[in-house]
Amino acid sequence: MRIAQLTYSTKPRGGVVHTLALAEALAARGHDVEVWTLGRGDDTAFFRPVDPRVDVRVVPFPPRDGEGVGERIERSIEVMAAALDTDADVVHAQDCISANAALRRGIPVVRTIHHLDSFTTPQLVACHDRAVTEPVARLCVSHAVAREVEEGYGVRPEVIANGVDAERFSIASSDADARAAWRARLGAYVLALGGIEPRKGSIDLLEAYALLRNAHPGLRLVFGGGETLFDYRDYRERFDARAAELGIHPTVLGPVDDDALPALVAEARALAFVSTKEGFGLAAMEALAASTPVIARDLPVIREVFGDTVLYGSTPAEIAGQLDAVLRGAASTDAEGGRVLARAHTWDRAARAHEEFYARVPFGSPR
């Protein structure tokens, strides 16, 4: 089967990680797979090496001074649509930008809806909604999000859960040298991944840290990741202002090298996963594979995917209470259950499920 996977960026965001891992698993199963993406700025490759069996197509997307978010979204669609030249039997988009690019070319496209967003920028609203309603078929990575899509749009996606590279994070838990390097740099720390942005609940975590820091002197609050298309400067300004009011100096690492990420996760005293919206929770699943306790916001999708392998808290006080209990050893998660859960979510399993799904999709005549 000839399969084209589409994504909007080369940076390590969840949907991009999903795209590459799925493409590699499909290629390992004997399919002819290509991945199309936009190379923002000077990017000519993804954030990590890609299995050579996958054909990577990076479409140049140079920056433009003074461009607003709406204009950047529309230009992203236009540039990818103009470049997208594929004779694949299956075209599968992992985000609204790449889905709209395929639709603009008249290409029947499958869309994975990782989560639903609430936008106000008109171009983003249109991009988001078209990429839900117009694909020839839809997937979600959890039943909770599939229900949201059905309730909001009247269409019923099928569900194929994420995979996770559990072995890579499990190995990191025993990598004493790599963990020691992070410990020497950061000391003891609570980790949050995904950068500082509204959907990640960053200000709630800041407030939670303020409530527990006196009981745990020397404990750092560390943020990793954060590459995004969107303009979160207002939120970041509010975050920084609140941090200054509280006298907190969080450590903001920005994007972390892919090879260094597993040890960063494994060495954390806990992963604070307090997003207000999620599709599956890949970062939390990776933490479980590394035997790192996870404190998560109490969302239906997290209950569905993680059950009792994580601790739950939704308000800053609840998040602080759960973190404090883990740090003091007064509460623990089901570490072995978490490792078993992570190992069960293989990318080969996900690839097999995608094969079966693609066979049912009415794509029409091959292009």
Side-chain angles (χ1 to χ4, degrees):
M1 192 182 298
R2 294 168 299 167
I3 303 167
Q5 295 284 334
L6 315 183
T7 187
Y8 72 102
S9 175
T10 57
K11 305 297 186 184
R13 299 292 288 186
V16 180
V17 172
H18 178 108
T19 303
L20 295 182
L22 176 59
E24 289 170 328
L26 288 165
R29 294 182 62 78
H31 299 286
D32 183 1
V33 185
E34 60 192 29
V35 174
W36 290 78
T37 190
L38 292 174
R40 300 179 185 279
D42 297 326
D43 285 356
T44 59
F46 281 101
F47 66 94
R48 66 163 177 84
V50 179
D51 187 321
R53 289 174 291 189
V54 175
D55 185 10
V56 174
R57 311 285 185 91
V58 180
V59 179
F61 189 81
R64 182 174 291 175
D65 291 341
E67 187 175 50
V69 173
E71 291 81 9
R72 187 161 62 251
I73 296 300
E74 185 60 30
R75 184 164 66 94
S76 296
I77 296 168
E78 291 173 357
V79 169
M80 179 169 273
L84 189 58
D85 182 14
T86 180
D87 61 356
D89 303 308
V90 174
V91 178
H92 186 170
Q94 300 286 343
D95 56 87
C96 82
I97 289 171
S98 61
N100 273 264
L103 291 167
R104 190 163 295 187
R105 287 292 296 266
I107 298 172
V109 63
V110 169
R111 165 80 197 286
T112 293
I113 305 162
H114 291 270
H115 64 271
L116 292 176
D117 275 306
S118 299
F119 295 120
T120 57
T121 303
Q123 295 95 328
L124 266 173
V125 173
C127 176
H128 180 274
D129 291 352
R130 279 196 302 267
V132 174
T133 60
E134 295 187 20
V136 68
R138 304 154 196 84
L139 287 167
C140 287
V141 292
S142 63
H143 291 280
V145 175
R147 285 192 295 270
E148 290 180 26
V149 173
E150 185 173 11
E151 291 166 3
Y153 293 88
V155 294
R156 184 193 296 269
E158 293 193 34
V159 175
I160 300 176
N162 246 332
V164 61
D165 190 351
E167 183 178 5
R168 193 165 77 103
F169 285 82
S170 178
I171 290 170
S173 68
S174 302
D175 190 338
D177 291 341
R179 291 183 60 171
W182 282 114
R183 187 162 60 250
R185 178 177 174 183
L186 299 173
Y189 58 94
V190 168
L191 178 66
L193 294 174
I196 296 169
E197 59 182 68
R199 187 172 70 85
K200 295 300 180 180
S202 308
I203 292 177
D204 280 352
L205 179 56
L206 187 70
E207 299 284 358
Y209 175 78
L211 294 173
L212 64 85
R213 59 180 165 169
N214 289 338
H216 302 277
L219 180 73
R220 284 198 192 189
L221 177 59
V222 175
F223 290 86
E227 286 288 348
T228 180
L229 265 181
F230 307 123
D231 186 355
Y232 294 130
R233 282 177 295 183
D234 288 347
Y235 186 83
R236 181 60 187 270
E237 288 170 3
R238 295 200 303 275
F239 177 95
D240 290 341
R242 186 57 179 150
E245 289 172 358
L246 295 168
I248 295 172
H249 304 283
T251 300
V252 181
L253 299 174
V256 178
D257 184 80
D258 189 59
D259 289 337
L261 179 64
L264 173 69
V265 173
E267 181 57 24
R269 299 289 302 279
L271 180 78
F273 193 74
V274 296
S275 304
T276 60
K277 290 178 181 286
E278 281 293 341
F280 176 84
L282 182 57
M285 194 67 76
E286 290 168 342
L288 295 186
S291 301
T292 299
V294 174
I295 288 80
R297 194 180 296 270
D298 196 350
L299 303 175
V301 62
I302 304 301
R303 290 279 182 180
E304 172 193 331
V305 174
F306 292 92
D308 60 3
T309 62
V310 305
L311 298 175
Y312 293 94
S314 294
T315 67
E318 291 169 350
I319 295 164
Q322 296 285 35
L323 284 169
D324 178 66
V326 167
L327 293 166
R328 289 188 294 106
S332 62
T333 54
D334 180 5
E336 178 57 25
R339 290 189 291 269
V340 169
L341 179 65
R343 288 196 298 268
H345 283 82
T346 68
W347 281 110
D348 181 68
R349 176 206 53 78
R352 291 198 310 270
H354 277 82
E355 289 172 343
E356 295 169 3
F357 175 78
Y358 295 151
R360 299 194 299 272
V361 174
F363 283 106
S365 300
R367 285 160 297 283

